[in-house]
Each structure stands twice: as C-alpha cells, then as structure tokens.
Amino acid sequence: MMHLSPVLARIALRYAAGALVAYGLLAPETGRQIAVDPDLALILGALIGMLAEAAYARVRARGGRT
C-alpha cells in the first residue's frame, strides 16, 4: 500500500507556493522551484507523518477512541 504523506506533501507545497506567489510574497520562479522540489516534499511528508502519529498518541494517552 502506498503511503500518502509524500503525495500530500507535494500537493501542500504546490498550494502554498501558489498562494505565496499570488500574494506577491514570492517570485514565480521561486514558487515553481518550491512546488517541484523533492527534498522539500520529503521533509514535509515526514512532518505530516510525525504530526499524525503525535495526534494519535495524544488521543490514546487521554483515553480517546482511535
């Protein structure tokens, strides 16, 4: 089964880069680089996974249903 974290990371990077370019906070060339950078996607994918696991652990520690 494929892990969705890298896929979600690439999508999130594209949206974030697009928003920053649209608001004029980022040059279009830089936005394109961010949107397709595999290293950033890997880092963001790892962060998404860690946040999901941390949320799961927190809910379990408080006795919540998972």
Side-chain angles (χ1 to χ4, degrees), residues 20-49:
L20 291 172
V21 169
Y23 284 110
L25 300 174
L26 205 59
E29 298 81 26
T30 307
R32 274 194 282 291
Q33 289 175 339
I34 289 172
V36 298
D37 188 339
D39 293 331
L40 283 177
L42 178 68
I43 292 168
L44 188 58
L47 287 174
I48 290 170

Side-chain angles (χ1 to χ4, degrees), residues 43-65:
I43 292 168
L44 188 58
L47 287 174
I48 290 170
M50 287 189 298
L51 287 173
E53 291 299 323
Y56 173 80
R58 185 174 181 185
V59 170
R60 289 289 290 177
R62 293 182 178 206
R65 293 182 57 190

